[in-house]
Amino acid sequence: MWFKRVMGAMVALTVVLAACTADTGTSQEPSGSSTPSVAPAEQVLRVDIGGEPPTLDPTAATDSASIQVLRSLTYPLAYFDEDLNIVPGLAESWDVSEDGQTITFHLKSDLKYSNGDPIVAGDFVYSWKRLIDPRTAAGYSYVMADVVGGSELLGADPEVDDIDAMLDAFGVSAPDDSTFVVSLAHAASYFVYIATLWVTVPLQESWTSTEGFTEAENYVSSGPMKLTTWEHNAQIVLEANENWSAGPAPTLERIEMAMIADPAASLGAYETDDLDIGSVPSQDVARVQEDPELSQEVLQGTVLSIYYFGFDLKDPNGPFAQSLNLRKAFTEAIDRETMITVAFGGIGTVAYSLVPPGMPGYQDTKFWEYNLEQAQADFAAGLSELGITAADLHLQIGFNADSNHENKVEFMQGQWSTAFGVTVEPVSLEWGAYLSRLSEDPFDIFRLGWGADYPHPNNFLTDLISCSSGNNNGGYCNEEVDALLAEAAVKATLDEQVPLYNQAQEQVMADAPIITIRNGARFTLIKPWVQNLVPTSQDSSTGELFYSWITIAPHEM
Amino acid sequence: MTLSEESAQAPSVVVEDLPDSVEVATEEGRRMAAQLHDKQPHAKRLLEVRNLTTQFFTREGVVHAVDEVSFDLDYGETLGLVGESGCGKSVTALSLVRLVPSPPGRIVSGQIIFDGVDILKLSNAEMRLMRGKKIGFIFQDPMTSLNPTLPIGFQISESAKLHLNLSRRAADDRAVELLSKVGIPRARDRMKDYPHQFSGGMRQRVMIAIALACDPMLLLADEPTTALDVTIQAQILDLIRSLSEEFGTAVILITHDLGIAAGMCHRVNVMYAGRIAETGLVDDVFEHARHPYSWGLMDSLPRLTDARSARLRTIEGLPPDLLDPGPECRFSPRCHYVTDRCRTAEPELSSREGEGHLARCFGTEPGGWIA
Amino acid sequence: MGAYLIRRVLWIIPVLFVVSIITFSLMHAVPGGPWSKEKKLPPSVIEHLDQKYNLDEPVFIQYLNWVGPLQFDEGALQRDEADNLVFGGLLAGDLGPSYKYLDRSVNDIVADGIWVTVQLGLMSFILSVIVGIPLGVIAALRHNGIPDYAATFVSIIGIATPTFVASILLLVVFSIALGWFQPNSLDWRTDPSSWVLPVIALSLFPIAQIARYTRASMLEVTRRDYVRTAHSKGVKEGSVVVVHMIRNALIPVVTILGPLLAFLITGSFITEFIFSVPGIGRYYVTSIGQRDYGVIMAMTMLYAAAIAIMNLVVDVLYAYIDPRIRYS
Ligand SMILES: Nc1ncnc2c1ncn2[C@@H]1O[C@H](COP(=O)(O)OP(=O)(O)OP(=O)(O)O)[C@@H](O)[C@H]1O
Ligand code: SF4
Ligand SMILES: [Mg+2]
């Protein structure tokens, strides 16, 4: 590396010298021949995945680092285009039956794994059964809930039930090597989004039953890249998978993934040209924006996520469960525009609704706005509804201690205090303890966030706020909303679904079960020589969906 | 004076047979180096101390620990140094080998001529050659004066190796010989033992062996028996006496114990407040003391001769403050015979009856008011 | 000595046993579990995970399984029937599965990183000793002189600067601003320059600590009677320091070296984190947040064992340096 850097400096020097002599020279040579030739750049992308990925088993992965790697190592039936429209992946096409309950995927021909074996429909059958099998205990098994037999398997007890028989009845089949059929228990229009997930990629049984199958020497990839090095806790190297034919051949020869745990060190590595894509810790945002060079390399964009505070509606005697006016008051009292500037360093935008911009079904409506007078009126109404005074309110706001939420909570406390003269007591807990407290007995007001698994409103409504959702920590439950969501789920096309989802969202927002604060934003640094990077609002790491097709322009280092 | 002139005046010479090839840099150093390896007398007296003044520069002020002290010591002679605690006995002895802890202590002025060599003019390196080789030192507390982490064999042979240019084996043999001489049984077996494996008396024997390792001309023994119990004290003193007689070593014996001084010494210096109050042959000082302080010291001793272990009697009043001695007789605040004269000036040491018998008191001067 | 050593080593076993029980119960008593995530898993999935990892058993059965290889719950231990993870238990040298790194066993994780961590710790330890002790000695010898003030200054900075501040500073100055070292080295095994900054960062505190102790101890020893004895023998200044003083001065210093080495070998979490060192130190704290029970137990046991062994080593070293100490 030293050598590389010295060589880089020498090359740079030579180029400068050459340029100087060319300028001062009197000869009138044709410019073409005197242009210093820069060798074509090595097509290598260097990124940071922030730490050791917990797993590279596609079925088991649930976290962003693993997914960042798996997006290049695997390829699902359907994929996205740059605007997150669904496009064919390993499947060339798919048909949905009249009743919406059968989806037949037709695989592209001549698909191969990195080991040269053909990708056959049976591998999907195996992979999907492996995902739902309770003995696998995969974190994302619930995405199979809509498949015939799926919900039974989710609830099965392997020590009691005959799992093998249940798996036989599971609604996936491969009539031939290129046809994969999924039978759904009910029409679920969004289901094709499930087929874009890394957990639904094809897997060879012979591979996953190998001891240590996720290690580099054993890894069998279905994606555009293959795994050539996994030095635990140090680095991962992917190289182009020459057997891959499901799409345009990867333009990168190699992706080097570092595991830099410390965000400051990661930014440092970017600044010393050891990374091509850099993330910026919040305390460095201002510096980067002011830096004449770095500020040129900033890539901003939206991310499909929200930062929110929920109200405790689980406790029927709690003030927020009893009074909609109180919830409204506490929402209207927050000046979120200012909050973004003050507490989020100006990065991101106010979330005025649950479904974030960039997602189908997004409504450009400001459901609740900052309105101090209204808030105070609602507060008074709420108190008289409950027959109490402000002094009777003993409220707690909970957040997890470990990552920069104090200033947000403080901001909100301040606003409530000015608006109502009430002091909301902040309580912070360590992450694990915090989560377990939320599922048992949430704080009156509690902080959480939500990011998209797939770009469909179902993921922000049904999965987050429906009565039965496990992620509905506040315990909000409105039968009407659930009915609308169920109705939307059986509609075949997005156009038919969206009005229903909109109606559902309007109802939810009217009930004010949570204060939506901010939609996520990306603030990434991209080296100028990184070309054809395609960021989408679905990425948790910028450009991860389309890493393989990045090109590296010639540059001096 | 330019640098070259200076070096021309005092050229550095490496004297061949100096053990660690110390560069001898001073005039005195060359004289010393020439005499280092023989025990022949090179002067009239072994030791001439003149106006030795050692002070401690402390935060509270300057402590006049040793003030204008002068005395002589003959070859082979044993001199006692007695006086109350804090009167400057130890500092006097340490000054002789230039081991006054510094900072804060410093020899401010005076002269120490040892075997014809002016000790205060030697360089530090030259002075090191004297220590251990020509002057041995026995300290008061054998429990703490030996290094707990080194075998006693090493501690004895160390100076022999250093000063006598002996090989390790020869130095070890010398150590064994010395150990048996100081009365340690099975000496060779015990060479590898550590100090904690010896009793207090045994350790003081080891100290003596160390001090005598290079057959010095002068042995400084600073209360060598104070830390030991009575029977052991007698053994150690006998050992010092017999060895000093055998080797012809002069001894300065510092003690609180007048009985010991009387029994061991030819001459005795009584010190008070950093000064010599009285000096003379043992008999003269003990039988015909001419200083009220000496009387005070001996007052309580019923019969000196069999009172070996009798301690100095405490004299009424506090010892004077060495920080700021006034112009008066230093003993005057505690003296029964004090007159106005004593409070305005300090008496000089002056002759009394007996060979070299001097005392510092107006009252016992010829024509004084004390009979 | 031999019998003493054996006795001491045997004593480590009950100590580790008690530590393991306490840690095991505490870690299960703390709310939350390995499957808590911001995006919650459905209860049925959590149930399946608990079954697979035997977390549905009572805690003491889980503990016995962890100690192993006592086959208490036959059902749970037959992997073929219910496909639960079966492991041999600590006594069989099997530290069990990681609850976070799903592809890997704790044994794998530890085996991968432990030598890097130990190497980092040892290198820092050696650096600390060879810099800290001379620094303390020089400071004491030039008491109240410029070297003393300089060394004291260095010590105070070293002690007052948290390791993470020092690490970030080194990283920012030498990697990012000056570009002398790579901020994230990928070749720890082959590129010695990778180790420079983390070793220095990790050593600053121990250097300061050792220097401080050594200085105080040397000053103390300077006043000792046996040092005066050595001077009275005409021993040269340098030999007095080397032969007579340092060894005595080191006795109290050795007391802190054991815990320090244990700390360095196991406690390089922050340094590993900041310099992306592929050791196990990183796991020590992250595993607790993640409730990665297997890793928590492994780290605690390693740490406890390291401290116990280091204390033993210190005691043995003591006897070597201080002849007054003998064990039987
Ligand atoms: N390191 C030192 N710093 C300051 N003052 C000192 C130091 N050493 C000795 N002194 C002072 O010098 C004076 C003489 O001390 P010295 O040790 O010579 O007394 P001494 O006659 O040997 O008494 P003792 O019988 O108690 O040993 C004392 O007043 C003491 O306070
Ligand atoms: S000079 Fe005076 S005060 Fe001093 S000792 Fe003699 S009589 Fe006493
Ligand atoms: Mg004394």
Side-chain angles (χ1 to χ4, degrees):
Chain A
M1 202 55 209
W2 284 93
F3 175 74
K4 231 181 186 173
R5 194 165 290 159
V6 171
M7 285 306 289
M10 281 169 62
V11 169
L13 200 67
T14 320
V15 171
V16 171
L17 287 177
C20 291
T21 41
D23 276 353
T24 54
T26 49
S27 62
Q28 299 287 317
E29 277 177 285
S31 60
S33 62
S34 70
T35 310
S37 66
V38 178
E42 244 194 321
Q43 294 302 307
V44 178
L45 178 72
R46 297 155 312 156
V47 296
D48 176 22
I49 57 174
E52 166 89 348
T55 177
L56 289 185
D57 175 353
T59 312
T62 57
D63 68 287
S64 57
S66 304
I67 294 166
Q68 192 179 352
V69 185
L70 286 171
R71 283 295 190 187
S72 298
L73 284 180
T74 62
Y75 210 58
L77 287 164
Y79 210 60
F80 301 104
D81 68 6
E82 308 186 355
D83 304 317
L84 295 183
N85 299 312
I86 299 274
V87 297
L90 290 180
E92 194 167 41
S93 63
W94 49 89
D95 327 311
V96 181
S97 67
E98 201 73 6
D99 61 359
Q101 294 196 7
T102 307
I103 308 179
T104 307
F105 291 94
H106 306 285
L107 301 193
K108 291 175 180 165
S109 51
D110 289 333
L111 294 174
K112 286 198 181 96
Y113 291 107
S114 57
N115 64 358
D117 291 350
I119 297 176
V120 294
D123 296 342
F124 287 96
V125 174
Y126 169 70
S127 161
W128 290 37
K129 285 183 175 174
R130 183 170 185 263
L131 179 60
I132 189 68
D133 188 337
R135 295 167 297 195
T136 312
Y140 266 71
S141 56
Y142 64 88
V143 303
M144 294 281 111
D146 297 321
V147 179
V148 168
S151 52
E152 289 80 1
L153 275 158
L154 277 178
D157 181 345
E159 283 174 30
V160 179
D161 300 317
D162 184 353
I163 301 297
D164 290 331
M166 293 172 84
L167 283 177
D168 286 343
F170 186 58
V172 291
S173 61
D176 60 63
D177 276 355
S178 60
T179 312
F180 175 58
V181 182
V182 182
S183 311
L184 299 177
H186 50 84
S189 53
Y190 52 81
F191 194 83
V192 68
Y193 284 95
I194 303 292
T196 66
L197 295 177
W198 61 95
V199 287
T200 61
V201 301
L203 301 174
Q204 278 186 306
E205 184 168 5
S206 58
W207 172 49
T208 58
S209 49
T210 312
E211 177 75 24
F213 68 99
T214 55
E215 298 295 335
E217 59 272 23
N218 301 325
Y219 207 90
V220 175
S221 158
S222 58
M225 298 302 233
K226 63 184 179 189
L227 181 65
T228 54
T229 306
W230 185 3
E231 243 180 86
H232 292 288
N233 231 346
Q235 72 161 341
I236 280 178
V237 179
L238 312 183
E239 282 176 24
N241 174 7
E242 62 281 0
N243 286 326
W244 194 73
S245 62
T251 49
L252 285 183
E253 288 158 18
R254 201 161 70 241
I255 305 177
E256 293 174 358
M257 299 174 147
M259 303 176 192
I260 308 178
D262 181 42
S266 178
L267 179 57
Y270 176 83
E271 288 183 54
T272 54
D273 288 349
D274 288 304
L275 291 177
D276 296 321
I277 300 180
S279 51
V280 184
S282 51
Q283 68 267 23
D284 284 300
V285 166
R287 176 175 72 85
V288 167
Q289 280 171 326
E290 280 155 25
D291 186 299
E293 209 171 302
L294 289 178
S295 59
Q296 298 303 303
E297 298 169 6
V298 170
L299 176 75
Q300 295 207 53
T302 53
V303 175
L304 299 179
S305 71
I306 55 168
Y307 185 97
Y308 69 91
F309 285 82
F311 292 112
D312 175 17
L313 309 180
K314 273 185 186 157
D315 172 9
N317 300 318
F320 291 119
Q322 294 182 62
S323 169
L324 170 62
N325 278 321
L326 219 50
R327 302 203 293 271
K328 274 159 57 178
F330 272 72
T331 309
E332 288 158 341
I334 305 294
D335 176 1
R336 288 173 283 181
E337 298 287 351
T338 308
M339 185 171 173
I340 300 287
T341 320
V342 172
F344 289 92
I347 306 294
T349 51
V350 173
Y352 284 106
S353 59
L354 261 179
V355 176
M359 189 174 257
Y362 166 68
Q363 290 174 282
D364 192 5
T365 312
K366 294 185 174 170
F367 283 99
W368 295 108
E369 278 190 276
Y370 175 55
N371 186 337
L372 192 54
E373 278 166 36
Q374 186 62 45
Q376 284 164 338
D378 287 338
F379 184 68
L383 289 185
S384 66
E385 243 168 54
L386 297 175
I388 56 171
T389 67
D392 297 326
L393 281 177
H394 302 289
L395 299 174
Q396 286 190 327
I397 179 164
F399 61 101
N400 51 309
D402 19 293
S403 33
N404 277 328
H405 300 299
E406 274 106 328
N407 61 338
K408 286 108 192 170
V409 169
E410 269 165 28
F411 181 89
M412 297 178 57
Q413 275 178 294
Q415 300 247 292
W416 290 325
S417 162
T418 2
F420 316 129
V422 295
T423 310
V424 183
E425 181 201 349
V427 183
S428 63
L429 285 179
E430 182 267 350
W431 186 226
Y434 180 69
L435 290 177
S436 99
R437 169 81 192 260
L438 287 193
S439 28
E440 283 149 27
D441 172 24
F443 300 94
D444 301 307
I445 306 170
F446 56 89
R447 184 215 77 85
L448 269 181
W450 185 257
D453 298 304
Y454 50 94
H456 190 279
N458 192 59
N459 189 228
F460 266 66
L461 292 165
T462 317
D463 293 344
L464 179 58
I465 204 82
S466 65
C467 295
S468 58
S469 163
N471 287 296
N472 185 352
N473 287 290
Y476 169 72
C477 181
N478 185 333
E479 308 286 341
E480 253 175 79
V481 171
D482 277 22
L484 286 165
L485 294 174
E487 199 186 335
V490 300
K491 294 286 186 236
T493 66
L494 213 50
D495 291 344
E496 292 169 282
Q497 297 156 12
V498 164
L500 292 166
Y501 283 120
N502 284 352
Q503 258 180 282
Q505 166 160 278
E506 281 155 20
Q507 185 59 56
V508 171
M509 292 311 291
D511 288 339
I514 64 177
I515 314 175
T516 55
I517 301 287
R518 167 187 180 259
N519 287 125
R522 100 174 54 265
F523 189 89
T524 315
L525 291 165
I526 311 286
K527 290 289 179 195
W529 54 78
V530 175
Q531 297 181 343
N532 300 329
L533 176 110
V534 181
T536 78
S537 52
Q538 169 77 56
D539 305 354
S540 59
S541 303
T542 305
E544 64 181 4
L545 285 178
F546 302 100
Y547 272 163
S548 307
W549 300 280
I550 282 171
T551 52
I552 304 295
H555 60 281
E556 294 133 20
M557 280 195 63
Chain B
M1 200 202 304
T2 70
L3 216 65
S4 57
E5 276 169 341
E6 188 181 40
S7 56
Q9 263 194 351
S12 294
V13 197
V14 176
V15 179
E16 287 291 317
D17 55 352
L18 287 187
D20 41 5
S21 301
V22 171
E23 283 195 4
V24 168
T26 64
E27 202 65 47
E28 277 318 293
R30 241 167 293 149
R31 190 202 308 277
M32 174 217 63
Q35 314 173 358
L36 198 60
H37 294 292
D38 65 56
K39 271 190 93 172
Q40 301 307 309
H42 295 90
K44 219 162 85 211
R45 297 207 169 83
L46 174 63
L47 187 63
E48 288 176 27
V49 178
R50 290 293 170 266
N51 302 325
L52 177 66
T53 302
T54 303
Q55 299 175 343
F56 291 94
F57 298 84
T58 67
R59 218 167 293 150
E60 289 77 34
V62 180
V63 178
H64 300 254
V66 174
D67 208 0
E68 302 266 328
V69 164
S70 305
F71 64 90
D72 294 338
L73 181 67
D74 284 332
Y75 292 95
E77 189 184 16
T78 298
L79 171 70
L81 222 52
V82 300
E84 276 177 315
S85 185
C87 69
K89 305 182 298 287
S90 295
V91 174
T92 303
L94 290 171
S95 298
L96 298 182
V97 283
R98 288 171 43 182
L99 280 179
V100 179
S102 159
R106 186 150 55 85
I107 299 174
V108 180
S109 61
Q111 227 184 8
I112 302 168
I113 310 291
F114 175 84
D115 197 25
V117 172
D118 188 342
I119 286 216
L120 297 182
K121 287 193 177 147
L122 295 177
S123 74
N124 284 338
E126 290 156 5
M127 187 62 221
R128 266 202 304 274
L129 295 183
M130 295 286 271
R131 292 188 203 124
K133 170 74 178 114
K134 293 246 131 177
I135 308 175
F137 213 126
I138 304 171
F139 295 99
Q140 170 174 344
D141 190 351
M143 298 312 209
T144 59
S145 295
L146 293 173
N147 191 326
T149 59
L150 294 172
I152 56 119
F154 175 87
Q155 299 193 49
I156 298 170
S157 62
E158 190 180 20
S159 56
K161 261 185 305 208
L162 201 64
H163 296 297
L164 305 181
N165 254 351
L166 293 184
S167 69
R168 171 188 279 266
R169 176 180 292 266
D172 280 352
D173 289 343
R174 166 107 183 123
V176 172
E177 183 196 323
L178 283 159
L179 271 180
S180 1
K181 258 219 165 76
V182 298
I184 306 261
R186 299 186 297 109
R188 192 168 287 278
D189 298 342
R190 306 221 58 179
M191 290 281 286
K192 289 253 174 306
D193 286 354
Y194 290 88
H196 70 277
Q197 290 159 301
F198 292 80
S199 69
M202 287 296 206
R203 283 192 225 180
Q204 198 60 304
R205 287 169 193 268
V206 172
M207 254 330 285
I208 294 171
I210 291 175
L212 295 178
C214 300
D215 191 7
M217 296 177 82
L218 173 61
L219 182 63
L220 299 172
D222 188 354
E223 309 195 28
T225 58
T226 312
L228 305 174
D229 64 52
V230 181
T231 40
I232 309 291
Q233 281 189 15
Q235 295 172 9
I236 296 293
L237 289 170
D238 285 343
L239 181 65
I240 291 177
R241 183 171 36 215
S242 65
L243 289 178
S244 68
E245 275 164 13
E246 182 183 338
F247 292 118
T249 310
V251 178
I252 295 180
L253 178 70
I254 297 173
T255 178
H256 275 121
D257 190 324
L258 296 185
I260 291 173
M264 296 269 300
C265 305
H266 305 119
R267 299 166 53 78
V268 62
N269 288 351
V270 179
M271 284 189 75
Y272 185 77
R275 293 212 179 234
I276 290 178
E278 184 166 6
T279 175
L281 294 173
V282 163
D283 286 347
D284 286 334
V285 173
F286 284 123
E287 306 292 339
H288 310 287
R290 299 306 290 156
H291 194 287
Y293 175 62
S294 309
W295 294 330
L297 284 180
M298 290 175 285
D299 232 11
S300 68
L301 303 181
R303 291 211 318 281
L304 275 175
T305 36
D306 55 25
R308 292 203 119 164
S309 65
R311 290 275 158 145
L312 284 182
R313 189 187 98 112
T314 22
I315 300 167
E316 266 173 55
L318 292 171
D321 185 3
L322 293 181
L323 274 177
D324 190 18
E328 73 279 4
C329 168
R330 292 189 182 180
F331 190 58
S332 59
R334 302 164 78 187
C335 183
H336 287 303
Y337 308 92
V338 63
T339 66
D340 283 347
R341 187 179 173 202
C342 314
R343 294 197 182 97
T344 49
E346 201 189 359
E348 296 290 318
L349 269 179
S350 57
S351 291
R352 299 290 185 276
E353 204 177 310
E355 189 206 326
H357 188 182
L358 307 172
R360 193 187 290 275
C361 173
F362 293 126
T364 63
E365 275 173 4
W369 58 91
I370 306 174
Chain C
M1 189 78 174
Y4 169 82
L5 270 184
I6 291 170
R7 213 166 54 230
R8 285 286 304 265
V9 169
L10 289 179
W11 249 110
I12 294 179
I13 293 167
V15 168
L16 291 185
F17 180 68
V18 171
V19 167
S20 75
I21 290 187
I22 293 175
T23 313
F24 204 91
S25 1
L26 277 181
M27 125 190 134
H28 281 277
V30 173
W35 326 123
S36 315
K37 300 203 160 80
E38 179 152 26
K39 200 157 256 187
K40 263 196 236 156
L41 299 176
S44 58
V45 172
I46 291 184
E47 235 163 76
H48 293 154
L49 282 163
D50 282 350
Q51 273 178 353
K52 173 166 168 174
Y53 287 92
N54 297 332
L55 291 176
D56 53 344
E57 313 289 344
V59 171
F60 79 95
I61 296 280
Q62 290 185 42
Y63 178 75
L64 293 177
N65 284 337
W66 178 79
V67 174
L70 313 161
Q71 304 252 321
F72 265 85
D73 177 12
E74 300 249 340
L77 290 169
Q78 299 301 311
R79 184 179 188 136
D80 299 335
E81 268 181 34
D83 204 30
N84 292 333
L85 281 193
V86 180
F87 63 98
L90 183 70
L91 296 182
D94 185 348
L95 293 164
S98 163
Y99 297 75
K100 154 102 179 177
Y101 299 98
L102 302 175
D103 305 352
R104 323 202 59 219
S105 68
V106 177
N107 283 27
D108 285 346
I109 290 177
V110 170
D112 261 357
I114 192 164
W115 295 117
V116 174
T117 298
V118 167
Q119 200 177 334
L120 179 64
L122 278 179
M123 280 166 42
S124 304
F125 181 74
I126 292 168
L127 183 71
S128 311
V129 168
I130 63 177
V131 175
I133 288 180
L135 205 63
V137 169
I138 290 167
L141 293 182
R142 297 280 172 275
H143 185 39
N144 289 335
I146 289 171
D148 187 17
Y149 292 132
T152 308
F153 184 71
V154 170
S155 286
I156 290 173
I157 289 189
I159 287 172
T161 314
T163 306
F164 80 90
V165 174
S167 300
I168 289 182
L169 236 111
L170 287 172
L171 183 85
V172 167
V173 174
F174 294 104
S175 285
I176 298 173
L178 297 176
W180 293 358
F181 302 95
Q182 255 188 291
N184 68 312
S185 173
L186 296 176
D187 354 88
W188 290 89
R189 284 168 191 85
T190 52
D191 180 5
S193 75
S194 320
W195 296 91
V196 174
L197 292 183
V199 167
I200 291 176
L202 194 53
S203 306
L204 287 181
F205 177 79
I207 285 177
Q209 185 97 328
I210 292 175
R212 221 166 48 113
Y213 269 78
T214 308
R215 174 177 175 276
S217 182
M218 278 295 283
L219 283 179
E220 165 71 26
V221 166
T222 317
R223 290 190 284 268
R224 290 295 171 85
D225 289 347
Y226 54 79
V227 173
R228 195 179 52 186
T229 305
H231 283 297
S232 82
K233 289 194 283 187
V235 177
K236 274 185 286 184
E237 199 69 43
S239 307
V240 173
V241 171
V242 173
V243 178
H244 292 267
M245 287 170 66
I246 288 186
R247 188 161 166 171
N248 284 290
L250 286 187
I251 292 172
V253 177
V254 164
T255 329
I256 62 160
L257 290 187
L260 209 58
L261 180 55
F263 160 80
L264 286 176
I265 285 184
T266 48
S268 46
F269 163 71
I270 291 161
T271 314
E272 290 191 8
F273 185 83
I274 290 173
F275 292 100
S276 303
V277 182
I280 54 167
R282 284 202 224 178
Y283 296 112
Y284 192 60
V285 171
T286 54
S287 64
I288 296 171
Q290 293 156 349
R291 307 287 189 273
D292 192 343
Y293 297 139
V295 178
I296 294 175
M297 286 308 291
M299 292 297 138
T300 313
M301 298 318 283
L302 281 175
Y303 195 73
I307 290 188
I309 291 169
M310 288 315 149
N311 281 336
L312 179 55
V313 169
V314 163
D315 286 350
V316 171
L317 208 61
Y318 244 171
Y320 173 76
I321 293 188
D322 189 343
R324 283 165 296 189
I325 296 170
R326 280 286 169 271
Y327 302 117
S328 52

